[in-house]
Amino acid sequence: MNSPFRTKTVEQSIRDTEEPEHALKKSLSAWDLTVFGVGVIIGTGIFVLTGIAARNNAGPATSLSFVAAGVVCALAALCYAEFASTVPVAGSAYTFSYASIGELPAWIIGWDLVLEFALGTAVVAVGWSGYVRHLMDTNLGWTMPRALSGPDAGGSFDLLAFLLVLVLTAILVIGTKLSARITAIVVAIKVTVVMLVIIAGLFFIKSDNYKPFVPPAQPQPEGASGWKAPLVQVLFGYEPTNFGVMGVFTAASLVFFAFIGFDVVATAAEETKNPQRDMPRGILGSLLICTVLYVAVTLVVTGMQKYTEMSPTAPLAEAFKSVNQPFFAGAISLGASVGLITVCMILLLGQTRVFFAMSRDGLLPRVFSVTHPKYRTPYRATILLGVVIAVVAGFTSLENLAELVNIGTLFAFVVVALGVIILRRTRPDLHRAFRTPWVPFIPILSIAASFWLMLNLPTETWARFAIWMVIGFIVYFAYSRRNSRLGQVGANAKY
């Protein structure tokens, strides 16, 4: 019990969910979880990264990059599905790690997820604000005062991003089911826009735009050196290329951002009516749907417009403008701005559930694990985090920090896959409604694939991540270890 690698059993985790004032309301179905997954995955990635990856890294073969990134996520999803159905408790990778590897690794992964979801929510809120300001300016003739347009637009405060996060915070306090209903409506709009791109775009494809499908390899610009260089280049002298076969994998490490969020589905396990059945369906179903849509959109857009001419900021809309279809371009911009709302909401949902789980275990102040007497939501944690993230989104330019979201997610994938292997050996008696196939081969492959993408991220991203982790170690040994409920089992705490 004194070891920082002490584990909290699955039975203890489940008993925690039965404490009245720390229990969440079970209201979600497999359909709700799938909608959540699609809602958070289809966002900035498909509306923005398609153009950047095609123009700079892989050309028409960007569709293969999405497949590669989707395979990495699928390997992780199989591990997440086993854990979420076996340990149906809020907290996702944090809870899974606590049950398999130990308290300190669980704390580190929880600390990592807090950063990932917080920055992800703020980044998407700022992106949404930019879309809305553009629509207001071009279609309605309304221009936001520069001072209230945010640092990225030369202002000092992003009012729209700030207000969006506060409104979503209020919705999440009222209830997860309400969040699911709103998400379902917005996801329907978003998927309609994506299908519009695919179906309408088919009529404007030119086969010449696919030639060559995999452009010849080119060295990356000299600017991608030093702290900006991928860690794999610094460690092994590996020279990453744009285009060619390796360019496809370089693009995969970029478009991986487009899949970030499917693991958020696992954070809602405790609020699911039948988690043993519905969690695997929600996680794997949403990932499959989004991968198919991503590949289809990429093939259509790179067929409509030569990859060298694609817009790095609004590739879908600009592709339709290039074929004189302004109506479709406007519809895509509107769908993107509406769709980003659900991305913000679900990332904020995941953030609060991880924080709630850590608080309930005593690793963070227990006051934040009290649920609302009427709505049965972690309202204190939700309000605290919502206000903090709203302020961050309002005042901060997060361009340089966005890659921390990628490395944080991939790190979580590594830990979850390792946890599946360990728990299979330490607790073979557990009932597993869903079992990851071919253990330990699939988890090991997941670890290797995730780590490879991590190595392709800039060295400065690794440095920032290391600093955040060091802060996490300090907080753990200064506060969390002494206040852990698991560490107090023999004294005051009861499980």
Side-chain angles (χ1 to χ4, degrees):
M1 283 296 105
N2 290 324
S3 169
F5 293 93
R6 55 199 174 199
T7 57
K8 180 181 177 184
T9 67
V10 174
E11 292 79 8
Q12 288 172 330
S13 298
I14 294 175
R15 279 200 295 273
D16 277 352
T17 68
E18 298 168 355
E19 297 177 351
E21 67 173 355
H22 301 288
L24 299 172
K25 183 178 181 181
K26 296 183 180 294
S27 60
L28 301 178
S29 64
W31 170 252
D32 293 326
L33 295 172
T34 304
V35 168
F36 270 146
V38 174
V40 72
I41 296 172
I42 296 182
T44 306
I46 198 169
F47 292 117
V48 177
L49 293 181
T50 303
I52 298 174
R55 181 169 178 163
N56 299 334
N57 300 111
T62 300
S63 57
L64 300 180
S65 301
F66 275 109
V67 172
V71 168
V72 174
C73 290
L75 293 171
L78 291 170
C79 299
Y80 269 89
E82 174 169 325
F83 258 129
S85 61
T86 307
V87 193
V89 179
S92 184
Y94 159 75
T95 300
F96 307 156
S97 303
Y98 213 161
S100 57
I101 305 175
E103 183 176 274
L104 179 57
W107 162 262
I108 291 300
I109 198 65
W111 186 251
D112 162 55
L113 291 174
V114 166
L115 176 69
E116 173 198 338
F117 292 148
L119 287 182
T121 304
V123 167
V124 175
V126 172
W128 173 85
S129 174
Y131 264 109
V132 172
R133 289 198 309 272
H134 176 73
L135 286 170
M136 290 168 55
D137 188 35
T138 56
N139 297 315
L140 302 176
W142 299 347
T143 302
M144 286 285 292
R146 186 173 182 178
L148 299 177
S149 297
D152 289 328
S156 56
F157 182 72
D158 194 329
L159 179 63
L160 292 178
F162 176 80
L163 293 177
L164 173 66
V165 176
L166 289 186
V167 170
L168 296 181
T169 298
I171 292 173
L172 289 175
V173 167
I174 293 174
T176 309
K177 190 63 179 180
L178 174 63
S179 308
R181 289 170 180 165
I182 294 174
T183 300
I185 295 171
V186 177
V187 167
I189 297 172
K190 188 158 49 175
V191 172
T192 299
V193 170
V194 172
M195 294 303 297
L196 179 68
V197 171
I198 296 170
I199 296 172
L202 287 172
F203 296 96
F204 302 100
I205 289 177
K206 299 178 182 177
S207 59
D208 288 343
N209 290 333
Y210 289 130
K211 300 175 183 178
F213 189 76
V214 181
Q218 301 174 7
Q220 284 195 353
E222 292 183 3
S225 60
W227 285 102
K228 296 289 184 182
L231 185 63
V232 67
Q233 178 181 349
V234 175
L235 293 178
F236 307 112
Y238 159 72
E239 293 293 340
T241 61
N242 290 333
F243 308 112
V245 174
M246 294 310 298
V248 173
F249 291 103
T250 302
S253 66
L254 171 66
V255 301
F256 175 80
F257 184 87
F259 290 92
I260 282 177
F262 86 84
D263 55 322
V264 177
V265 176
T267 67
E270 193 173 326
E271 296 162 272
T272 304
K273 296 176 183 176
N274 189 346
Q276 287 78 14
R277 181 195 66 190
D278 295 340
M279 287 305 302
R281 293 180 180 180
I283 293 172
L284 297 171
S286 59
L287 183 61
L288 176 62
I289 291 170
C290 293
T291 302
V292 171
L293 291 177
Y294 277 177
V295 172
V297 166
T298 306
L299 287 173
V300 168
V301 173
T302 53
M304 292 175 63
Q305 188 176 26
K306 192 68 176 177
Y307 70 91
T308 54
E309 302 171 359
M310 293 187 70
S311 166
T313 56
L316 274 62
E318 291 299 324
F320 278 96
K321 284 184 180 180
S322 71
V323 293
N324 299 315
Q325 296 295 323
F327 169 78
F328 292 113
I332 290 167
S333 295
L334 178 61
S337 61
V338 172
L340 291 178
I341 294 174
T342 58
V343 180
C344 268
M345 178 186 292
I346 301 166
L347 285 174
L348 185 57
L349 170 72
Q351 158 86 313
T352 58
R353 273 31 178 195
V354 173
F355 198 90
F356 165 80
M358 296 173 74
S359 172
R360 187 166 58 186
D361 290 332
L363 302 185
L364 291 171
R366 286 269 289 170
V367 66
F368 295 113
S369 65
V370 176
T371 54
H372 194 281
K374 177 180 179 181
Y375 303 123
R376 309 309 304 170
T377 57
Y379 69 106
R380 292 176 180 174
T382 302
I383 292 172
L384 171 69
L385 295 169
V387 171
V388 170
I389 295 172
V391 172
V392 171
F395 283 105
T396 309
S397 176
L398 297 172
E399 179 180 356
N400 293 328
L401 297 178
E403 286 169 331
L404 280 170
V405 181
N406 272 21
I407 196 169
T409 302
L410 288 165
F411 180 64
F413 287 2
V414 169
V415 174
V416 169
L418 182 61
V420 167
I421 298 172
I422 293 174
L423 201 62
R424 282 285 187 98
R425 293 181 63 87
T426 58
R427 291 297 306 275
D429 57 302
L430 284 176
H431 171 68
R432 293 168 169 83
F434 178 89
R435 297 176 66 89
T436 303
W438 302 326
V439 173
F441 175 73
I442 291 294
I444 291 174
L445 193 58
S446 176
I447 292 170
S450 299
F451 193 66
W452 170 251
L453 291 187
M454 290 174 72
L455 288 176
N456 280 275
L457 291 171
T459 304
E460 63 179 351
T461 301
W462 279 83
R464 293 192 182 106
F465 182 68
I467 292 171
W468 180 253
M469 290 294 102
V470 169
I471 295 173
F473 273 100
I474 293 172
V475 173
Y476 174 77
F477 286 104
Y479 175 85
S480 304
R481 187 180 183 187
R482 291 185 292 106
N483 291 276
S484 165
R485 293 183 69 204
L486 185 60
Q488 299 169 356
V489 167
N492 301 319
K494 294 182 180 179
Y495 271 108

